[in-house]
Amino acid sequence: MKRYLLLLVLLGTTLAGCHKADPTPDDPLLGHWQSDAITYQVYDPTGKLDPAAFAGGLSSVTNQVVHLLDVTSTTFTFNANTPGVTPTSETYTRTGEVLTFPNQATYQTFAARSLTATAFVYEVTNLRSDGSRFVATVPYHR
């Protein structure tokens, strides 16, 4: 009886060792994302938030709009989730939080901040000729 028990334990150990863990991507940025809002802000040349950058004396404006994003190791595909608007794909490279889109001339800085497997903040910055910065912040989630 001990012989069979030992054989059963060995067989169970061998089978447990053969189970593969679920695959997880090496890069948590890859995959499908959704955002429900975009916040726009303007900072003056000294880095302070401009208290009246937008109509009505607002320091920031948030638009409630659904954006979809699909990320591969080489492309970002943005989908405004609006009828009649075609999704756009752009190639990119990434170093840490900094994203580089070689075909983008309007905005200077792109970043994927606070990246986890379930959320990140996409930040786009445009440095204006007067030294102020226009910043769009888009929180994405899975």
Side-chain angles (χ1 to χ4, degrees), residues 6 15 22 34 39 44 46 48-49 70 77 93 105 123 134:
L6 182 59
L15 289 175
D22 292 332
Q34 178 178 324
T39 299
D44 70 20
T46 66
K48 293 180 184 174
L49 187 61
D70 286 299
T77 301
T93 57
E123 185 180 276
F134 174 83

Side-chain angles (χ1 to χ4, degrees), residues 27-30 33 69 71-72 76 78 92-101 109-117 119-125 136-140 142:
D27 185 351
L29 184 61
L30 304 181
W33 298 92
L69 174 65
V71 181
T72 70
F76 260 52
F78 298 95
Y92 78 99
T93 57
R94 183 170 130 221
T95 305
E97 289 186 337
V98 177
L99 304 168
T100 304
F101 294 91
T109 320
F110 301 87
R113 305 223 187 270
S114 305
L115 177 62
T116 69
F120 79 98
V121 176
Y122 180 66
E123 185 180 276
V124 181
T125 302
T137 306
V138 187
Y140 279 100
R142 298 253 188 223

Side-chain angles (χ1 to χ4, degrees), residues 3 9 30 57-58 81 99 103 117 120 122 127 132 141:
R3 193 175 349 159
V9 169
L30 304 181
L58 299 174
N81 201 33
L99 304 168
N103 298 322
F120 79 98
Y122 180 66
L127 183 61
S132 66
H141 59 87

Side-chain angles (χ1 to χ4, degrees), residues 50-84:
D50 185 338
F54 298 96
L58 299 174
S59 63
S60 67
V61 172
T62 299
N63 291 337
Q64 302 298 322
V65 59
V66 174
H67 282 238
L68 304 176
L69 174 65
D70 286 299
V71 181
T72 70
S73 61
T74 59
T75 61
F76 260 52
T77 301
F78 298 95
N79 184 344
N81 201 33
T82 305

